[in-house]
PDB file of all heavy atoms in Angstrom:
ATOM      1  N   ARG Z 211     151.399  80.285  98.256  1.00 98.00           N
ATOM      2  CA  ARG Z 211     152.774  79.652  98.116  1.00 98.00           C
ATOM      3  C   ARG Z 211     153.827  80.803  97.988  1.00 98.00           C
ATOM      4  O   ARG Z 211     154.934  80.644  98.388  1.00 98.00           O
ATOM      5  CB  ARG Z 211     152.688  78.696  96.959  1.00 98.00           C
ATOM      6  CG  ARG Z 211     154.129  77.954  96.828  1.00 98.00           C
ATOM      7  CD  ARG Z 211     154.019  77.062  95.549  1.00 98.00           C
ATOM      8  NE  ARG Z 211     155.256  76.550  95.316  1.00 98.00           N
ATOM      9  CZ  ARG Z 211     155.668  75.152  95.612  1.00 98.00           C
ATOM     10  NH1 ARG Z 211     154.700  74.408  96.178  1.00 98.00           N
ATOM     11  NH2 ARG Z 211     156.711  74.671  95.403  1.00 98.00           N
ATOM     12  N   PHE Z 212     153.410  81.814  97.275  1.00 98.00           N
ATOM     13  CA  PHE Z 212     154.397  82.889  96.984  1.00 98.00           C
ATOM     14  C   PHE Z 212     154.013  84.113  97.575  1.00 98.00           C
ATOM     15  O   PHE Z 212     152.887  84.534  97.685  1.00 98.00           O
ATOM     16  CB  PHE Z 212     154.646  83.104  95.362  1.00 98.00           C
ATOM     17  CG  PHE Z 212     154.996  81.777  94.678  1.00 98.00           C
ATOM     18  CD1 PHE Z 212     154.190  81.165  93.748  1.00 98.00           C
ATOM     19  CD2 PHE Z 212     156.199  81.110  95.035  1.00 98.00           C
ATOM     20  CE1 PHE Z 212     154.442  79.971  93.046  1.00 98.00           C
ATOM     21  CE2 PHE Z 212     156.479  79.861  94.405  1.00 98.00           C
ATOM     22  CZ  PHE Z 212     155.674  79.309  93.446  1.00 98.00           C
ATOM     23  N   ASP Z 213     155.028  84.975  97.872  1.00 98.00           N
ATOM     24  CA  ASP Z 213     154.748  86.294  98.514  1.00 98.00           C
ATOM     25  C   ASP Z 213     154.863  87.496  97.597  1.00 98.00           C
ATOM     26  O   ASP Z 213     155.131  88.632  98.092  1.00 98.00           O
ATOM     27  CB  ASP Z 213     155.648  86.472  99.788  1.00 98.00           C
ATOM     28  CG  ASP Z 213     157.131  86.528  99.453  1.00 98.00           C
ATOM     29  OD1 ASP Z 213     157.447  86.371  98.236  1.00 98.00           O
ATOM     30  OD2 ASP Z 213     157.911  86.703 100.329  1.00 98.00           O
ATOM     31  N   PHE Z 214     154.659  87.293  96.346  1.00 98.00           N
ATOM     32  CA  PHE Z 214     154.772  88.399  95.438  1.00 98.00           C
ATOM     33  C   PHE Z 214     153.462  88.479  94.586  1.00 98.00           C
ATOM     34  O   PHE Z 214     152.771  87.412  94.252  1.00 98.00           O
ATOM     35  CB  PHE Z 214     155.993  88.379  94.531  1.00 98.00           C
ATOM     36  CG  PHE Z 214     156.148  87.040  93.769  1.00 98.00           C
ATOM     37  CD1 PHE Z 214     155.328  86.739  92.548  1.00 98.00           C
ATOM     38  CD2 PHE Z 214     156.982  86.022  94.187  1.00 98.00           C
ATOM     39  CE1 PHE Z 214     155.502  85.636  91.833  1.00 98.00           C
ATOM     40  CE2 PHE Z 214     157.009  84.746  93.615  1.00 98.00           C
ATOM     41  CZ  PHE Z 214     156.332  84.574  92.407  1.00 98.00           C
ATOM     42  N   ALA Z 215     153.133  89.653  94.084  1.00 98.00           N
ATOM     43  CA  ALA Z 215     152.082  89.943  93.131  1.00 98.00           C
ATOM     44  C   ALA Z 215     152.674  89.974  91.730  1.00 98.00           C
ATOM     45  O   ALA Z 215     153.882  90.191  91.570  1.00 98.00           O
ATOM     46  CB  ALA Z 215     151.321  91.211  93.434  1.00 98.00           C
ATOM     47  N   MET Z 216     151.828  89.720  90.754  1.00 98.00           N
ATOM     48  CA  MET Z 216     152.345  89.792  89.359  1.00 98.00           C
ATOM     49  C   MET Z 216     151.723  90.991  88.607  1.00 98.00           C
ATOM     50  O   MET Z 216     150.652  90.785  87.882  1.00 98.00           O
ATOM     51  CB  MET Z 216     152.016  88.339  88.748  1.00 98.00           C
ATOM     52  CG  MET Z 216     152.792  87.304  89.296  1.00 98.00           C
ATOM     53  SD  MET Z 216     152.715  85.690  88.331  1.00 98.00           S
ATOM     54  CE  MET Z 216     151.035  85.284  88.693  1.00 98.00           C
ATOM     55  N   GLN Z 217     152.119  92.118  88.774  1.00 98.00           N
ATOM     56  CA  GLN Z 217     151.613  93.370  88.012  1.00 98.00           C
ATOM     57  C   GLN Z 217     152.187  93.132  86.616  1.00 98.00           C
ATOM     58  O   GLN Z 217     153.324  92.940  86.437  1.00 98.00           O
ATOM     59  CB  GLN Z 217     152.085  94.551  88.840  1.00 98.00           C
ATOM     60  CG  GLN Z 217     151.310  95.790  88.235  1.00 98.00           C
ATOM     61  CD  GLN Z 217     151.503  96.998  89.065  1.00 98.00           C
ATOM     62  OE1 GLN Z 217     152.136  96.996  90.124  1.00 98.00           O
ATOM     63  NE2 GLN Z 217     150.766  98.055  88.617  1.00 98.00           N
ATOM     64  N   VAL Z 218     151.352  93.590  85.834  1.00 98.00           N
ATOM     65  CA  VAL Z 218     151.623  93.676  84.299  1.00 98.00           C
ATOM     66  C   VAL Z 218     151.850  95.100  83.920  1.00 98.00           C
ATOM     67  O   VAL Z 218     151.036  95.930  84.107  1.00 98.00           O
ATOM     68  CB  VAL Z 218     150.504  93.014  83.543  1.00 98.00           C
ATOM     69  CG1 VAL Z 218     150.830  92.766  82.162  1.00 98.00           C
ATOM     70  CG2 VAL Z 218     149.986  91.646  84.089  1.00 98.00           C
ATOM     71  N   ALA Z 219     153.017  95.242  83.230  1.00 97.00           N
ATOM     72  CA  ALA Z 219     153.368  96.633  82.726  1.00 97.00           C
ATOM     73  C   ALA Z 219     153.446  96.490  81.194  1.00 97.00           C
ATOM     74  O   ALA Z 219     153.516  95.467  80.586  1.00 97.00           O
ATOM     75  CB  ALA Z 219     154.717  97.012  83.196  1.00 97.00           C
ATOM     76  N   ARG Z 220     153.447  97.644  80.593  1.00 95.00           N
ATOM     77  CA  ARG Z 220     153.481  97.775  79.204  1.00 95.00           C
ATOM     78  C   ARG Z 220     154.815  98.446  78.870  1.00 95.00           C
ATOM     79  O   ARG Z 220     155.254  99.466  79.430  1.00 95.00           O
ATOM     80  CB  ARG Z 220     152.431  98.727  78.528  1.00 95.00           C
ATOM     81  CG  ARG Z 220     151.077  98.120  78.604  1.00 95.00           C
ATOM     82  CD  ARG Z 220     149.966  99.101  78.129  1.00 95.00           C
ATOM     83  NE  ARG Z 220     150.177  99.357  76.768  1.00 95.00           N
ATOM     84  CZ  ARG Z 220     149.292 100.062  75.924  1.00 95.00           C
ATOM     85  NH1 ARG Z 220     148.162 100.491  76.489  1.00 95.00           N
ATOM     86  NH2 ARG Z 220     149.424 100.146  74.675  1.00 95.00           N
ATOM     87  N   GLU Z 221     155.624  97.675  78.082  1.00 93.00           N
ATOM     88  CA  GLU Z 221     157.008  98.079  77.560  1.00 93.00           C
ATOM     89  C   GLU Z 221     156.922  98.177  76.066  1.00 93.00           C
ATOM     90  O   GLU Z 221     157.113  97.103  75.429  1.00 93.00           O
ATOM     91  CB  GLU Z 221     158.015  97.215  78.228  1.00 93.00           C
ATOM     92  CG  GLU Z 221     158.176  97.181  79.664  1.00 93.00           C
ATOM     93  CD  GLU Z 221     159.283  96.479  80.262  1.00 93.00           C
ATOM     94  OE1 GLU Z 221     160.026  95.858  79.477  1.00 93.00           O
ATOM     95  OE2 GLU Z 221     159.428  96.323  81.549  1.00 93.00           O
ATOM     96  N   GLY Z 222     156.786  99.321  75.508  1.00 91.00           N
ATOM     97  CA  GLY Z 222     156.548  99.467  74.144  1.00 91.00           C
ATOM     98  C   GLY Z 222     155.281  98.761  73.703  1.00 91.00           C
ATOM     99  O   GLY Z 222     154.188  99.038  74.305  1.00 91.00           O
TER     100      GLY Z 222
END
Side-chain angles (χ1 to χ4, degrees):
R211 180 185 177 100
F212 305 119
D213 62 358
F214 55 81
M216 295 187 290
Q217 187 165 7
V218 185
R220 293 178 63 172
E221 296 183 4

